[in-house]
Amino acid sequence: MRAGEPVCIGYVVSPDVLEALERAMSSFGIYLIGFLVLVSGLAYAAFLLGAPPVWIGTGAIVLIGFGIITGVAKTRRRDETATSE
């Protein structure tokens, strides 16, 4: 087994599927990291403005949840429909 080679247990992974999965995870990861940086900046700004910490935490949790939902929606693969013959 070579380094970087996918390990399959009980099923075969197509190289196309593996490449698409890596691309989707990479896009999602970059999106999530960027969103976390944005939320961190907003939380720090709210702290500097004197907002109560409980509201900063609540807003950060809501924004992170929103970021995960939009990240999944933007990076998920569309289902391929089978053409009827």
Side-chain angles (χ1 to χ4, degrees):
M1 180 182 302
R2 293 177 287 174
E5 185 175 300
V7 177
C8 299
I9 302 173
Y11 57 91
V12 178
V13 176
S14 165
D16 295 334
V17 171
L18 185 62
E19 181 182 330
L21 181 62
E22 289 174 348
R23 186 174 47 240
M25 291 305 292
S26 175
S27 297
F28 178 73
I30 291 170
Y31 185 87
L32 196 58
I33 289 170
F35 207 86
L36 288 174
V37 169
L38 173 69
V39 170
S40 298
L42 290 173
Y44 184 64
F47 172 76
L48 291 177
L49 290 172
V54 75
W55 289 111
I56 295 173
T58 303
I61 290 171
V62 168
L63 286 174
I64 289 170
F66 179 73
I68 291 172
I69 291 170
T70 56
V72 168
K74 289 180 184 286
T75 59
R76 76 179 178 104
R77 281 185 34 172
R78 302 288 181 233
D79 294 334
E80 296 178 13
T81 58
T83 57
S84 54
E85 295 179 26

